[in-house]
Amino acid sequence: QVQLMESGGGLVQPGGSLRLSCAASGSIFRIFSMGWYRQAPEKQRELVARISNGGSTNYADSVKGRFTISRDNAKKTVYLQMNGLKPEDTAVYYCNADIILYSSPVSKAYWGRGTQVTVSS
């Protein structure tokens, strides 16, 4: 099947930076949009940023100007560069991708297991 493997989370001081990566693997025919979501304790999961297979991006208002999403289609990988981190960015960050498998013509959304980002002094 498909696996989305996130990496790059950790503990960082306010104002610091982190770069998250998410690599997709499996019997993948095509990947459409990819994105990052986050979920803080006792809050709903929310969109952080998405990028289409053509490179179009959209961001949550709370991260515009601080976060940058990018992707490497050859590596089936999406990145999230996070600068100017704030304590309110603390959350588990999840990778998401819309994928078509060789075994099925229907696009389906897949999720990673998440990586913890903690912003604290």
Side-chain angles (χ1 to χ4, degrees):
Q1 282 290 344
V2 171
Q3 276 195 327
L4 297 180
M5 185 65 67
E6 301 110 333
S7 61
L11 173 64
V12 64
Q13 291 187 342
S17 298
L18 283 175
R19 188 191 195 211
L20 305 183
S21 299
C22 171
S25 62
S27 299
I28 297 170
F29 174 68
R30 179 171 291 178
I31 302 177
F32 293 104
S33 65
M34 304 182 81
W36 291 94
Y37 291 71
R38 67 186 181 187
Q39 188 166 17
E42 300 182 359
K43 291 190 176 181
Q44 289 189 332
R45 190 173 297 189
E46 63 176 3
L47 170 71
V48 176
R50 289 198 69 85
I51 183 168
S52 72
N53 55 352
S56 298
T57 59
N58 66 289
Y59 296 90
D61 287 343
S62 59
V63 307
K64 283 180 181 176
R66 300 188 296 124
F67 292 9
T68 302
I69 189 170
S70 61
R71 63 190 284 173
D72 184 329
N73 291 330
K75 294 182 178 179
K76 299 184 179 67
T77 299
V78 63
Y79 305 96
L80 185 69
Q81 178 66 44
M82 304 186 293
N83 299 327
L85 282 160
K86 305 175 181 180
E88 51 263 44
D89 294 318
T90 295
V92 177
Y93 284 69
Y94 296 91
C95 175
N96 169 272
D98 294 325
I99 295 173
I100 291 181
L101 303 180
Y102 282 105
S103 60
S104 171
V106 179
S107 173
K108 180 180 174 182
Y110 292 87
W111 291 89
R113 292 190 172 185
T115 184
Q116 176 71 44
V117 172
T118 302
V119 185
S120 175
S121 55

